[in-house]
Amino acid sequence: MLYGRTAEVSALDEVIARARDGSGGAVVVRGAAGTGKTALLDAAAARGGAMRVLRTTGVESESDLAFAALHQVLWPVIGSLGALPEPQRLAVGAALGLEPGGGDRFLVGAGVLSLLAEAAAPDGLICVIDDFQWIDRASADALLFAARRLATERVAMLLAVRGDAPVKGCRGRWTYGGCPSPPRTSCCGTATPSCPPACGASS
């Protein structure tokens, strides 16, 4: 139980519920180290019911290793790779070290989106990405490409990031830690919580 965080938990629950009903999207939670971002995302994911949960955590020592985070988050569903169109399958396979070649960036992003959609059947999917500031650039680009295109998928992507690290393409944000009650804003095309201006957040 996260005491004193009922509003934040309820807002994340709504993002997950919308994804379960086919209106997916992504939310970014910002805050300093130790403010409870990880616990908040874990608690939200644990209440997803039958929804599948995929996770990855950025590691500073792997931040220069292309597709390291993507490998971690997609490996549990790698068995669904064969369901992708061949160009996407080969690109994602190359990114994960399963196929020769470097992996075309557009096709990798499209393939990640397709693979997440496959993994969301039949009950939906929650994708938890912690310490996004240390996610390698190649993985971040592919994951955010997918995040911006989840509106018709049963996928909720929850990202936690420390400080002011950029999350490309997500204009809205929720700054976590010391915020009274979260109003609504927009992030990656989905309704999400956000800190009011008095808490130092911007949309």
Side-chain angles (χ1 to χ4, degrees), residues 35-49:
T35 53
K37 302 181 301 296
T38 298
L40 179 66
L41 267 55
D42 285 348
R47 286 190 308 281

Side-chain angles (χ1 to χ4, degrees), residues 25-199:
V27 60
V28 179
V29 179
R30 288 188 180 273
T35 53
K37 302 181 301 296
T38 298
L40 179 66
L41 267 55
D42 285 348
R47 286 190 308 281
M51 296 177 76
R52 184 196 295 255
V53 179
L54 297 177
R55 301 173 182 270
T56 189
T57 299
V59 178
E60 190 172 11
S61 61
E62 294 187 356
S63 60
D64 293 327
L65 186 58
F67 298 117
L70 202 64
H71 185 278
Q72 185 182 41
V73 74
L74 295 183
W75 197 254
V77 294
I78 202 65
S80 298
L81 197 58
L84 272 57
E86 184 176 3
Q88 295 181 18
R89 176 179 59 79
L90 292 175
V92 174
L96 300 182
L98 301 174
E99 298 283 351
D104 177 88
R105 289 178 59 193
F106 175 81
L107 289 175
V108 171
V112 169
L113 176 61
S114 296
L115 192 54
L116 293 178
E118 281 289 326
D123 300 307
L125 171 70
I126 302 170
C127 186
V128 178
I129 304 171
D130 203 0
D131 280 331
F132 185 84
Q133 73 279 357
W134 289 327
I135 296 290
D136 63 276
R137 175 66 181 273
S139 294
D141 285 349
L143 289 166
L144 292 178
F145 178 96
R148 292 188 291 269
R149 292 163 173 82
L150 293 176
T152 59
E153 307 295 345
R154 304 180 72 184
V155 180
M157 191 177 291
L158 314 180
L159 305 95
V161 61
R162 188 182 301 181
D164 293 322
V167 181
K168 188 166 57 176
C170 288
R171 294 180 300 278
R173 67 181 186 181
W174 178 8
T175 301
Y176 182 65
C179 295
S181 57
R184 303 272 173 207
T185 187
S186 174
C187 176
C188 293
T190 188
T192 64
S194 173
C195 238
C199 290

